[in-house]
Structures are given as structure tokens and as C-alpha cells.
């Protein structure tokens, strides 16, 4: 009897352990999914005569809009395959299939099986991507523009049949053709905006609003579209990028500043918004800039008086150098490698997205920002900067209601 009880008990424990193991495996699968990309190219001849496609790269835009290859595979019998692990906490991003000599194929890397069918390697833009939520949505979105193009082609064909090809070269014909194109584009933009609003909880919405549509929106309207995006996207890189582009276009005294990326001297990264709750001096400078170096004694004065004593003032020096040695050498030689003095640079010089978003055309340019992230001034320098910062830190908020950065 005891042996029978023990056998039953052991079977019960094995069953429990098996269920626990299954649950753990299920949990792991949910936290780290797999993106399986299966592709086919029917003709691998490239546009350049005599060349064929042999290697395909899976690439992505980095935060500075540079295309960076993440993986590569060899084309075999017209087929290719990528397998990517996707952590549940990682944002879904738009990648590119590269290696062609005439464009790329955009594809969202997300859990699931994605099929890509490319008729000709010479024209990869004609490829069809399908199989997962965001890729199917992107295909629907692109179809709107395709319909716009087709409408214009059909209209051109009708006009040509009715009036003859030569009529389009007349002033009247040219105006008629332009009107057809304008009507089609307006309809296209309206449909695309409606589509993105319908899917405002997907990464496609902020990505396309910034890259394709946002620049056409009037001031204020783009802010409304930003507000219409799902709060679930607040931490997504595409939301942050679109938000920054909106803030950059509307940058002025009293307006919220862009939340730029700060690549620090030690290689780590922070964001400007990490300093919310403090007044911020954001100093755009460069090691080769004489006037920038002449500002340093004034910044040191403010550092010693407020920053070093943690008086709710942050000092961030953002260098427009393109050589790390020159940048870090100047920090050391000028004696500004101090604790709590934040030094950042993306080493892209005038190509820096941070400088572009703040409209930096010359250095030094010093931005004074309030604890809520709104710009107080972009023109203060030297003794005037020191005087104004002391005034603010004493509680005299002279800038409130002034509407001026003077």
C-alpha cells in the first residue's frame, strides 16, 4: 500500500514540475520573441549592368539617422532568411534590407514570421512585405500613396485621349494637369492622416508623421497630432523623435525645448529631460572656438556658486567637435572636468541633431532652460549670463511674462 501511495505521489510531483516547466518556457517565449524573416528574390540582377545581388543586410537607422548593418546573409537560390531575437521590452523599429544598388526594403522587426517577395533586385522598392501587424499596416499605408499615383496616371490618360498629348504643353493644359496632381495629393494626405490617427497606438504613426507628413502641417496642428498619439508610445524612440521635431520647429522663448540625447564623455547616455526639476545652462561650444573658451571663466563662476553646491542648477556643455581627443583634451586642459559638470558630444560637429534642433548656427550659443523644460533665453553670455542666473537663483524670475529673452 505504501509503495502504491509513493508511486502516486511521485507521479503527481512529476506532473506539477512539468506544468511549472511549461509555464516557465511560456514566460520566456513571451519575454523574448523571435522574428523570422523569409524572403524570395525572383531576379537577382542589380541595376548596374553585369552585377548581381549576393549578400543582403538587415540594417537599421541609428539615433543620428545613419544606416547601420546589424546582420547579413547570403542569397541562395533566390532565397534568404533572417532570425532575430526580439525582447518584449525593446521597441518595435523599422529596419531596412540593404545591399541593393537602387534602394532598400523597409521591414518592421517584430515577433512572428514575415514574408518578403521581391520581383527584381534592381527595383527592391517593388517588394511586398507581409505577415505581422506593423508590416501589414505599413503595406496598407503605402497603398494610399500608390492609389494617389494611379489616380494621377489615370487622369493623365483621360486628358490625353480627350485633348491630345500636345494640349498638356499649353498653359491651359499645364494648369489642368497641376490641378489634378494637387487634388490627388490633398486627398492622399487626408487619407494618410486619417489612417495614422486610426492606428495612433502603433510606431508607424509617429514615424510617418515626422518623416512624411509633419512638415506639411501648420504650427499648432502638428502639436495636436502629437497629443493624439497613444500615451503607450511616450517612451518609444519614434515618439520622442517626432516630439523633438515639433518642438524644434516651434522653438522660442517660453516654449518647451527638444529632449535631445546627451552622449556623455564616459560613453553613457542621458536625455536633457533627465534634468527636469532644475534650471539648466546648455552651452553649445567647441574646443577650436576662441569665444567659447572665453566663456569658460563665467561658467566656472556659476559652477562654483551653484552647480557644485547642488543649488538646483545643472550645467551641460555640448561640444560641436568631431574629434574625441580634441574635445576631451580641452575639457582637461581648461580645468572643467569637474564633478556634476556634464560634458556631452555626438562628435558630429555641425551635423549634430542636437545642434540642429536648437537652431545652432554659431558657437558659443548658451540656452537657459527652466525646471519645466521651457526656454528662458538663447542670447545670454558673459557677465550678463552670470547676473541673470544669480537673479533667477535668488527667486527673482524676471523672465516670467516678459515674452523676451533680453
Amino acid at each position: 500500500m505504501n509503495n502504491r501511495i509513493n508511486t502516486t505521489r511521485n507521479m503527481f510531483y512529476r506532473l506539477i514540475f512539468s506544468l511549472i516547466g511549461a509555464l516557465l518556457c511560456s514566460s520566456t517565449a513571451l519575454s523574448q520573441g523571435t522574428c523570422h524573416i523569409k524572403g524570395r528574390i525572383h531576379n537577382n540582377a542589380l541595376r548596374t549592368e553585369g552585377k548581381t545581388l549576393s549578400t543582403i543586410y538587415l540594417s537599421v537607422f541609428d539615433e543620428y539617422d545613419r544606416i547601420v548593418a546589424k546582420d547579413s546573409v547570403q542569397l541562395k537560390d533566390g532565397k534568404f532568411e533572417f532570425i532575430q531575437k526580439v525582447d518584449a521590452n525593446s521597441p518595435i523599429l523599422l529596419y531596412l534590407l540593404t545591399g541593393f544598388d537602387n534602394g532598400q526594403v523597409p521591414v518592421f522587426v517584430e515577433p512572428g514570421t514575415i514574408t518578403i517577395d521581391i520581383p527584381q533586385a534592381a527595383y527592391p522598392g517593388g517588394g511586398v512585405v507581409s505577415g505581422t501587424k506593423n508590416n501589414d499596416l505599413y503595406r496598407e499605408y503605402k497603398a494610399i500613396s500608390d492609389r494617389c499615383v494611379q489616380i494621377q496616371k489615370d487622369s493623365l490618360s483621360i486628358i490625353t485621349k480627350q485633348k491630345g498629348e500636345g494640349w498638356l504643353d499649353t498653359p491651359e493644359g499645364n494648369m489642368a494637369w497641376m490641378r489634378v496632381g494637387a487634388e490627388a495629393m490633398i486627398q492622399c494626405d487626408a487619407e494618410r492622416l486619417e489612417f495614422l490617427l486610426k492606428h495612433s497606438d502603433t510606431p508607424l504613426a509617429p514615424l510617418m508623421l515626422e518623416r512624411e507628413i509633419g512638415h506639411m502641417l501648420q504650427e499648432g496642428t502638428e502639436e495636436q497630432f502629437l497629443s493624439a498619439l497613444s500615451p503607450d508610445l511616450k517612451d518609444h524612440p519614434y515618439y520622442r523623435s517626432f516630439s523633438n521635431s515639433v518642438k524644434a520647429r516651434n522653438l522660442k522663448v517660453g516654449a518647451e525645448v527638444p529632449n535631445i540625447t546627451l552622449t556623455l564623455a564616459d560613453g553613457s547616455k542621458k536625455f536633457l529631460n533627465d534634468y527636469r526639476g532644475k534650471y539648466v545652462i546648455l552651452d553649445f561650444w567647441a574646443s577650436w572656438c576662441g569665444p567659447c573658451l572665453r566663456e569658460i571663466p563665467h561658467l566656472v563662476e556659476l559652477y562654483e556658486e551653484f552647480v557644485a553646491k547642488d543649488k538646483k542648477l545643472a550645467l551641460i556643455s555640448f561640444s560641436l567637435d568631431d574629434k574625441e581627443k580634441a574635445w576631451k583634451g580641452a575639457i582637461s586642459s581648461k580645468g572643467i572636468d569637474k564633478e556634476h559638470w556634464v560634458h556631452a558630444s555626438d562628435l558630429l560637429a555641425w551635423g549634430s541633431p542636437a545642434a540642429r534642433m536648437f537652431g545652432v548656427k554659431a558657437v558659443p550659443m548658451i540656452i537657459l532652460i527652466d525646471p519645466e523644460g521651457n526656454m528662458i533665453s538663447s542670447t545670454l553670455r558673459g557677465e550678463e549670463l552670470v547676473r541673470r542666473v544669480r537673479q533667477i537663483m535668488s527667486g527673482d524670475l524676471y523672465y516670467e511674462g516678459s515674452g523676451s529673452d533680453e
Side-chain angles (χ1 to χ4, degrees):
M1 175 67 74
N2 288 337
N3 288 337
R4 188 176 300 171
I5 292 173
N6 288 336
T7 300
T8 302
R9 183 181 296 157
N10 290 337
M11 290 176 64
F12 175 74
Y13 286 151
R14 283 198 295 270
L15 176 61
I16 292 297
F17 289 143
S18 296
L19 289 172
I20 292 174
L23 287 172
L24 288 174
C25 290
S26 175
S27 175
T28 300
L30 286 173
S31 63
Q32 187 173 40
T34 300
C35 177
H36 191 183
I37 300 174
K38 302 171 68 175
R40 174 72 185 272
I41 299 179
H42 298 273
N43 184 343
N44 72 332
L46 293 171
R47 194 171 186 184
T48 303
E49 187 174 351
K51 291 189 176 183
T52 57
L53 180 68
S54 59
T55 305
I56 297 180
Y57 300 89
L58 185 63
S59 305
V60 68
F61 284 105
D62 68 8
E63 60 187 305
Y64 305 118
D65 250 6
R66 298 172 298 194
I67 297 177
V68 180
K70 293 294 185 180
D71 198 359
S72 65
V73 294
Q74 296 296 307
L75 191 64
K76 295 180 181 179
D77 299 324
K79 297 180 180 179
F80 63 91
E81 188 173 3
F82 289 99
I83 297 178
Q84 299 288 308
K85 293 296 183 183
V86 182
D87 191 278
N89 296 320
S90 298
I92 294 172
L93 300 175
L94 186 68
Y95 281 61
L96 298 171
L97 292 185
T98 60
F100 307 92
D101 62 354
N102 185 36
Q104 307 94 18
V105 180
V107 54
F108 279 99
V109 171
E110 58 186 335
T113 299
I114 300 167
T115 60
I116 301 178
D117 189 80
I118 304 173
Q120 301 180 67
Y123 301 98
V128 177
V129 182
S130 60
T132 58
K133 174 185 175 181
N134 286 287
N135 284 299
D136 290 342
L137 284 175
Y138 191 27
R139 190 177 68 255
E140 290 180 47
Y141 173 81
K142 290 192 294 184
I144 297 172
S145 297
D146 293 339
R147 287 198 300 273
C148 169
V149 172
Q150 190 59 50
I151 288 172
Q152 293 180 74
K153 287 182 178 179
D154 292 344
S155 299
L156 176 61
S157 177
I158 292 172
I159 292 174
T160 301
K161 287 180 181 179
Q162 292 177 343
K163 301 285 189 177
E165 292 186 6
W167 186 74
L168 291 175
D169 295 327
T170 67
E172 184 182 1
N174 186 257
M175 288 184 64
W177 174 233
M178 289 180 63
R179 184 173 63 253
V180 168
E183 290 175 354
M185 284 304 301
I186 291 172
Q187 182 63 36
C188 174
D189 290 340
E191 289 185 28
R192 290 194 299 179
L193 285 170
E194 183 179 5
F195 184 89
L196 294 177
L197 285 175
K198 184 179 179 181
H199 301 287
S200 62
D201 59 343
T202 69
L204 181 67
L207 179 65
M208 293 299 109
L209 281 170
E210 178 182 3
R211 296 195 174 185
E212 293 191 359
I213 301 180
H215 68 280
M216 296 182 292
L217 301 176
Q218 292 183 345
E219 182 178 343
T221 305
E222 55 191 359
E223 293 178 345
Q224 291 176 334
F225 275 96
L226 181 63
S227 299
L229 295 176
S230 170
D232 294 339
L233 292 172
K234 291 287 186 181
D235 296 324
H236 196 285
Y238 295 157
Y239 179 97
R240 185 168 59 248
S241 183
F242 177 48
S243 174
N244 277 343
S245 69
V246 171
K247 292 170 185 172
R249 283 195 290 271
N250 301 316
L251 188 63
K252 58 187 176 183
V253 171
E256 187 176 356
V257 301
N259 182 26
I260 59 173
T261 301
L262 302 171
T263 302
L264 306 184
D266 63 3
S268 63
K269 291 187 178 181
K270 298 192 79 170
F271 295 101
L272 185 57
N273 279 3
D274 292 334
Y275 299 91
R276 287 285 179 92
K278 292 185 175 184
Y279 287 94
V280 175
I281 298 173
L282 176 59
D283 170 36
F284 286 97
W285 73 296
S287 65
W288 42 260
C289 167
C292 298
L293 302 182
R294 289 194 290 273
E295 286 293 322
I296 289 179
H298 303 293
L299 296 175
V300 169
E301 193 174 354
L302 290 172
Y303 170 85
E304 298 290 354
E305 191 169 343
F306 300 107
V307 180
K309 298 176 182 178
D310 192 25
K311 296 288 188 177
K312 299 300 181 183
L313 178 67
L315 177 53
I316 303 172
S317 290
F318 194 107
S319 172
L320 295 190
D321 279 281
D322 59 1
K323 294 180 175 59
E324 184 176 8
K325 186 177 181 180
W327 168 43
K328 293 185 176 180
I331 294 173
S332 178
S333 65
K334 299 303 176 182
I336 54 176
D337 50 346
K338 300 176 181 292
E339 187 179 11
H340 304 308
W341 189 321
V342 181
H343 290 282
S345 179
D346 48 31
L347 297 176
L348 293 175
W350 297 108
S352 167
R356 184 173 64 249
M357 280 187 279
F358 273 94
V360 179
K361 298 293 193 298
V363 287
M365 181 172 177
I366 299 176
I367 313 292
L368 189 56
I369 305 167
D370 73 16
E372 287 72 45
N374 302 312
M375 187 167 76
I376 297 173
S377 169
S378 62
T379 61
L380 295 173
R381 285 171 55 179
E383 288 296 338
E384 179 66 8
L385 172 66
V386 174
R387 187 175 70 84
R388 290 297 194 182
V389 170
R390 283 176 177 160
Q391 191 174 352
I392 289 171
M393 299 307 291
S394 71
D396 181 3
L397 305 184
Y398 76 92
Y399 58 89
E400 288 192 348
S402 66
S404 170
D405 61 354
E406 293 301 322

